[in-house]
Amino acid sequence: QKEVEQDPGPLSVPEGAIVSLNCTYSNSAFQYFMWYRQYSRKGPELLMYTYSSGNKEDGRFTAQVDKSSKYISLFIRDSQPSDSATYLCAMILPQGTSGSRLTFGEGTQLTVNP
Amino acid sequence: SQTIHQWPATLVQPVGSPLSLECTVEGTSNPNLYWYRQAAGRGLQLLFYSVGIGQISSEVPQNLSASRPQDRQFILSSKKLLLSDSGFYLCAWNRGSGNQPQHFGDGTRLSIL
């Protein structure tokens, strides 16, 4: 079983829709959670970073963490064609030394149609 | 602000040839540095990480090696490329303790013929 599970999609929605992207994880020791957006032929770009259960909002994006269920979500409101990209969840186990070990989901490919 | 640069953006190499990919970070000192490989339709696989000059940790046995000759420079190398080395190589950095998110460069797409 993978430590982090993410539906690869593809997911296709009309412009203006609310998008829900999800990841589940098996290791309850994960404490820091991230969402990255990756455009084709580019590196991942950090969208959201959170370390506690609950919601964190940034513009049209909301990250939600439910540690009891080992489930994280990213919601995109009023989706735009420019949101078309692959979205990767990632999480960190606390480390006693410097450097961080990110465990990534495989990414969900999203297309927002005009 | 901090920026990370990778080059070249694309590279086509014959089997058996050597490889050198370079990554540099600007605007920060003593970053942690990482090399990842991303296969098509798959997640990111950590190859190497470094917490300081000359300090390299390898995550998976493979045909590649990494070096950190300067504080903000990270190099990925191979003496003889294999077909299986094809992929998208990403460099990343972060600061401080182990709980900070990583920031990625725009990658090198490597094709082996």
Side-chain angles (χ1 to χ4, degrees):
Chain A
Q1 183 187 5
K2 294 177 185 175
E3 282 194 291
V4 178
E5 297 276 359
Q6 183 176 9
D7 185 342
L11 180 62
S12 181
V13 301
E15 184 174 354
I18 297 174
V19 176
S20 173
L21 303 167
N22 310 296
C23 288
T24 58
Y25 60 96
S26 56
N27 190 340
S28 58
F30 284 124
Q31 291 191 13
Y32 301 86
F33 305 92
M34 286 137 285
W35 285 96
Y36 287 85
R37 177 176 63 196
Q38 186 175 20
Y39 291 116
S40 180
R41 299 184 177 272
K42 293 289 188 180
E45 170 194 5
L46 181 67
L47 277 180
M48 303 289 277
Y49 170 63
T50 184
Y51 53 85
S52 59
S53 284
N55 294 350
K56 180 178 181 179
E57 189 174 318
D58 185 359
R60 295 185 296 110
F61 298 92
T62 299
Q64 186 176 81
V65 174
D66 183 346
K67 289 187 178 180
S68 61
S69 301
K70 296 199 277 287
Y71 187 89
I72 67 171
S73 299
L74 178 70
F75 298 97
I76 307 174
R77 290 186 300 280
D78 188 26
S79 57
Q80 303 295 308
S82 59
D83 295 327
S84 298
T86 297
Y87 290 80
L88 297 146
C89 64
M91 40 202 81
I92 300 175
L93 283 168
Q95 299 288 317
T97 57
S98 57
S100 60
R101 308 289 188 94
L102 265 64
T103 301
F104 284 89
E106 290 193 3
T108 299
Q109 186 180 344
L110 171 67
T111 300
V112 180
N113 300 300
Chain B
S1 65
Q2 300 82 22
T3 56
I4 179 168
H5 303 280
Q6 279 188 252
W7 66 91
T10 58
L11 189 60
V12 180
Q13 292 284 94
V15 170
S17 63
L19 173 74
S20 181
L21 302 181
E22 190 163 340
C23 171
T24 59
V25 178
E26 295 178 356
T28 188
S29 59
N30 196 30
N32 304 312
L33 296 171
Y34 307 83
W35 278 112
Y36 288 87
R37 178 166 54 207
Q38 186 176 34
R42 298 179 64 180
L44 279 74
Q45 180 188 34
L46 180 63
L47 302 176
F48 301 95
Y49 72 95
S50 172
V51 299
I53 295 174
Q55 300 179 60
I56 308 294
S57 296
S58 174
E59 288 296 298
V60 293
Q62 59 203 315
N63 185 42
L64 302 169
S65 62
S67 61
R68 184 170 177 174
Q70 300 180 45
D71 181 43
R72 291 169 289 172
Q73 183 184 31
F74 206 22
I75 296 173
L76 184 68
S77 304
S78 174
K79 292 181 180 178
K80 279 189 173 183
L81 285 167
L82 306 173
L83 282 173
S84 58
D85 292 324
S86 292
F88 190 44
Y89 289 85
L90 290 157
C91 182
W93 74 275
N94 72 347
R95 274 196 288 247
S97 68
N99 305 324
Q100 296 300 310
Q102 295 173 17
H103 304 275
F104 288 82
D106 275 339
T108 295
R109 189 161 301 278
L110 176 63
S111 299
I112 311 299
L113 302 180

